[in-house]
Amino acid sequence: MNPTHREPWIRIARRDSIAAWHGWLIRLAGLLLALLVSAVVIYLIVRLNPIKVYSAMFEGNFGTNRRMWVTFRDIAMLLCIGIGLAPAFKMRFWNIGAEGQVLVGGIATAAVMIYCGKFMPTWALLIASLLASLVAGAVWGGIPAAFKARYGTNETLFTLMMNYVAIQLTSYFVAVWENPFGSNTVGIINQRTQTGWFPPLLGQKYMLNVLLVLVLTVAMFVYLRYSKHGYEIAVVGESNKTARYIGISVKRVLIRTMMLSGAVCGLAGFIAVAGASHTISTSTAGGSGFTAIIVAWLAKFNTFVMVLVAGLLVFLEKGAIQIASQYNLNDYASQMITGIILFFILGSEFFTRYRVIFRGRKGGR
Amino acid sequence: MQSGTAAVSMRDIVKAFGPVVANDKVDLDIFSGEILALLGENGSGKTTLMNILSGIYYPDAGHVSVNGREVSIRSPKDVYDLGIGMVHQHFKLVDVLTAAENIILGMPGEGNLDMKAVGRKILDICALYGFSVDPGQKVYDMSVSQKQTVEIVKVLYRGAKILILDEPTAVLTPQETEKLFRVLRNMKNDGKAIVLITHKLHEVEEISDRVAVLRRGKNAGELVTKNTDAAEMTNMMVGRAVTLNIARPEPKDPKPRIVVDRLTLRDEEGIIKLNEVSFTAYSGEVLGIAGISGCGQKELLETIAGLHPLKSGSVTYIKPETGEKIDMAGLDPREIFSLGVMLSFVPEDRLGMGLVGNMDLTNNMMLRSFRRGKSVFTDRKTPRNLARSVVDELSVNTPGLTTPVRRLSGGNVQKVLVGREISSSPTVLMTAYAVRGLDINSSYTIYDLINQQKEKGVAVIFVGEDLDVLLELCDRILVLCGGRVSGIVAGRGADKNEVGLMMTKHGKETTHESDA
């Protein structure tokens, strides 16, 4: 019966809008704070010089030419899946099935490399496996969309379960293509001839991976922002009612966009198999299909921002591995550091959207 | 102005949203045993002020006292404890629960719940003020007016002595409004303090004792109702003199434009929404559609616009130039457009259907035009120019063309939507509750736009809820009740009570068109 008479000590209010420079200032502050806090943690727990630890992380990513290109390759892979997820998420279609879409793209690529590798030249193999992976991914993405359009099924569960189907399918093909017999792996496909592998460009093994994904980054940005399809996706994502009101067929956009999303994820499988590992296993996607969800959302579907986010995630992962091995730390210590950094960077997003008002302060920003 | 301590006294209330100051040092006193009407145009800050009083917003500065004691309202729960109750325009009831269950929902208690005692207390409250509520009735079985009654009983049950009602009559028939007013008078005589937010001035004159007017976030003045009139209140709200007559030019050369014949529609559950509806809309006239909300008005317009698959009946469009008849039944909006039917539709749900709230003005203009041209890319220049000209011609108050439309006030949102819909030179214009929630100035802008279209020979179908407006604006009025046409009357000289009665009585047979 007696509400307090004092103003609350702390209040949180939504920001109406925020200037771009102000947002980036907050994010930069978050990054600096993250480095500061983890420096203290590093010093207190493992008694190491934080500066050295940070430079070791950098070493782990860019220390040698080879390492640098592996980093680029991994960023490209994660980014590619993120780009694939962008149109689905922009349409508010919860595609949790990138993992499976990558795998079926990988299976299709491996199949082309294995069955056609003997009589087709590399350029033809690349085109054939590119197309096969696109189609496989499109089908894998299109199935849950078609069910949603037709029967209103829940796409989150559906795409998630499709992942497990894809994993089982991969196990099956690993058994079929087992090489050498009894190894329970496919082995390196076309190891001697290297047919169907990405050729080195400008002397770099992974140049083609990076170039392909960069082209996709620009293309998807333009598609989502300037094309009629992109506009339809935005309208369907915001309101199905509005879409129907202006005569957009929601079902068609749903299926078309999910086929595109699946196709780009399938393409990531193509890059992973033909451009990186040259083999296929159940861990070909390796969880990237889930990590890419973070990439897509943090960047708010802006593919250029995704480059930064994917870069950060890969950098932290590789850095953690490096300090773990260089200083003989156990995994937990290095993961703690990446955890702290991620926490602050994600946390700074909160402050770009809300402001905190302390008692006695005027409500200004 | 009044002696004694105010039940609620708000002083120097300031609340800003970003650069927009919604309340700028606003004062307001609410007294027990009095009905206060809070008036103001859209964006004048009355909703913000009441939201502060009901714990939804926290003020940036200022003081609130209840019964002379300064308080800090931090949440809707504090509000109940202070004896303040708000009845929102959009009801907040759980459909599958009964009236009694909704009323006690969220209240603290220990031990066994004695629903019988709850029911008795509800009936006591009803007897005291003249409500009729069946405590055991499920909300989904209730009419709009019954739901509203439950909302009011809910706040009384919690011991509210100060009631805030946000546009309570917007959804009621004239008869139901009368009933509500009787109850409000009983509550006033019992010593409750009542704040009424409304746009309907004749209701303010009828029921309130005192009027407080806000203009652009500031106090514009206070009036004693019996010493004032609608004109003075309007002038105070707008800040200058306004005339309050809606023009109604005679229809010029009316010709059939849309013929609806025995249209029947069922929703997904198989419930009949429209039952053998037949009428003809003529060019150069405004056909009003009256009815209690949920009687099929929305479905009727949406069906004509091609948003519902048609089971039986027909919709025929007659081309003005050639007289060619086009059967529109079963076509979707895109197909209708491609047949050259220039149909514009201002739906009831402006931000959820007619516009996309998160998109800016240019992108919203594009909704209708983005398919034009063969390019795979969208043309942004034409819609941007259109947005600019709509903003200029209808004086839309917006920070810029890149502002998301949800940030605009209700009246400006509607101007954007209507502006886009009439920009395509339609031959049929359908509007659903075109002035709902709009202030006087914006409402008259919309009436003027409708009349301009009418004079251009457009067939206008105007679904409205305010009977006074329908009677002043429309050439003919079709009354819907429970999905049936209960009659079509001429707008000139129509009797308000007669139309009100038609809204509640089912037409026995399909009324076929006899006069024009």
Side-chain angles (χ1 to χ4, degrees), chain A residues 96-363:
Chain A
I96 314 295
E99 194 85 355
Q101 290 146 19
V102 172
L103 276 179
V104 293
I107 294 173
T109 306
V112 172
M113 286 165 74
I114 289 169
Y115 293 123
C116 310
K118 292 180 190 70
F119 55 87
M120 277 165 83
T122 290
W123 66 266
L125 271 182
L126 283 178
I127 291 173
S129 36
L130 171 75
L131 292 178
S133 66
L134 287 176
V135 170
V139 168
W140 219 248
I143 291 170
F147 272 84
K148 177 165 177 122
R150 183 79 182 77
Y151 303 107
T153 50
N154 178 315
E155 78 267 22
T156 316
L157 288 174
F158 208 123
T159 50
L160 187 67
M161 291 193 293
M162 291 286 281
N163 287 338
Y164 299 105
V165 180
I167 289 171
Q168 296 303 323
L169 210 59
T170 315
S171 306
Y172 170 77
F173 281 108
V174 169
V176 171
W177 296 330
E178 199 178 38
N179 179 30
F181 185 75
S183 68
N184 204 21
T185 64
V186 178
I188 304 295
I189 302 167
N190 302 343
Q191 190 165 19
R192 257 177 307 116
T193 55
Q194 299 201 350
T195 47
W197 293 23
F198 279 19
L201 277 185
L202 306 168
Q204 291 303 336
K205 220 165 117 188
Y206 300 127
M207 181 65 91
L208 188 57
N209 306 35
V210 173
L211 284 182
L212 258 179
V213 176
L214 282 182
V215 169
L216 266 183
T217 308
V218 178
M220 185 58 82
F221 184 85
V222 171
Y223 177 78
L224 286 179
R225 186 147 310 181
Y226 298 109
S227 78
K228 288 178 180 172
H229 282 188
Y231 184 74
E232 289 184 335
I233 291 170
V235 174
V236 170
E238 290 286 346
S239 160
N240 279 347
K241 261 165 83 185
T242 307
R244 287 185 41 230
Y245 163 77
I246 53 165
I248 293 176
S249 163
V250 174
K251 291 178 181 181
R252 224 186 55 216
V253 174
L254 208 65
I255 295 173
R256 184 183 72 203
T257 307
M258 260 316 282
M259 285 179 73
L260 173 73
S261 174
V264 177
C265 291
L267 181 88
F270 163 68
I271 295 175
V273 172
S277 69
H278 310 123
T279 183
I280 176 96
S281 75
T282 49
S283 59
T284 291
S288 306
F290 296 110
T291 314
I293 297 172
I294 307 176
V295 175
W297 273 102
L298 266 187
K300 300 193 189 87
F301 325 130
N302 180 328
T303 55
F304 291 119
V305 181
M306 278 185 208
V307 179
L308 290 180
V309 181
L312 175 77
L313 291 178
V314 170
F315 178 89
L316 287 177
E317 195 197 334
K318 293 215 172 305
I321 294 170
Q322 175 69 19
I323 52 178
S325 66
Q326 188 171 336
Y327 295 107
N328 261 333
L329 296 178
N330 67 22
D331 281 352
Y332 301 121
S334 53
Q335 280 172 13
M336 240 167 65
I337 294 165
T338 61
I340 290 168
I341 294 177
L342 265 184
F343 176 83
F344 277 93
I345 288 173
L346 298 187
S348 63
E349 291 301 309
F350 174 84
F351 291 95
T352 61
R353 256 171 256 171
Y354 296 89
R355 61 203 168 93
V356 176
I357 304 158
F358 291 98
R359 180 191 293 166
R361 278 268 204 95
K362 272 277 286 172

Side-chain angles (χ1 to χ4, degrees), chain B residues 271-328:
Chain B
I271 295 163
I272 287 213
K273 287 290 170 186
L274 293 173
N275 195 347
E276 303 250 318
V277 172
S278 300
F279 67 90
T280 304
Y282 292 84
S283 63
E285 83 159 9
V286 177
L287 172 68
I289 295 185
I292 311 169
S293 70
C295 275
Q297 300 95 314
K298 185 175 120 195
E299 286 80 5
L300 179 59
L301 297 198
E302 289 181 358
T303 308
I304 297 173
L307 297 181
H308 294 292
L310 206 58
K311 286 277 143 53
S312 74
S314 71
V315 180
T316 313
Y317 172 81
I318 297 153
K319 268 199 170 172
E321 308 88 23
T322 56
E324 182 194 348
K325 288 184 178 170
I326 297 173
D327 182 14
M328 288 171 33

Side-chain angles (χ1 to χ4, degrees), chain A residues 1-9 11 15-17 92 222-223 225-229 231-232 234-235 238-249 252 355 357 361-363 365, chain B residues 17-18 58-60 69-70 72 74 78 81-82 307 333-334 345 347 349 352-356 358-359 363-364 366-368 370-378 380 407 417 420-421:
Chain A
M1 269 314 282
N2 207 350
T4 37
H5 289 228
R6 301 200 61 179
E7 189 184 336
W9 180 66
R11 281 185 289 132
R15 286 180 199 275
D16 219 26
S17 63
R92 299 289 185 271
V222 171
Y223 177 78
R225 186 147 310 181
Y226 298 109
S227 78
K228 288 178 180 172
H229 282 188
Y231 184 74
E232 289 184 335
V235 174
E238 290 286 346
S239 160
N240 279 347
K241 261 165 83 185
T242 307
R244 287 185 41 230
Y245 163 77
I246 53 165
I248 293 176
S249 163
R252 224 186 55 216
R355 61 203 168 93
I357 304 158
R361 278 268 204 95
K362 272 277 286 172
R365 273 139 301 167
Chain B
F17 299 98
Y58 194 87
D60 295 335
R69 199 169 56 115
E70 183 160 349
S72 161
R74 295 158 56 159
D78 290 352
D81 294 342
L82 291 167
L307 297 181
R334 193 178 175 176
F345 178 26
D349 188 357
M353 184 180 240
L355 300 166
V356 178
N358 283 329
M359 287 185 172
N363 272 305
N364 270 297
M366 251 163 75
L367 280 171
R368 281 284 185 210
F370 79 99
R371 282 195 203 90
R372 275 187 213 143
K374 289 210 173 72
S375 160
V376 293
F377 296 109
T378 48
R380 264 149 211 282
R407 293 250 180 82
L417 177 54
R420 184 192 74 206
E421 287 302 298

Side-chain angles (χ1 to χ4, degrees), chain B residues 370-416:
Chain B
F370 79 99
R371 282 195 203 90
R372 275 187 213 143
K374 289 210 173 72
S375 160
V376 293
F377 296 109
T378 48
D379 165 26
R380 264 149 211 282
K381 228 163 121 193
T382 323
R384 197 178 303 127
N385 291 337
L386 175 59
R388 197 169 291 132
S389 71
V390 166
V391 167
D392 289 346
E393 281 165 28
L394 305 186
S395 45
V396 177
N397 191 0
T398 170
L401 298 183
T402 53
T403 309
V405 289
R406 75 182 145 80
R407 293 250 180 82
L408 307 183
S409 72
N412 288 311
V413 167
Q414 186 68 321
K415 283 182 196 169
V416 171

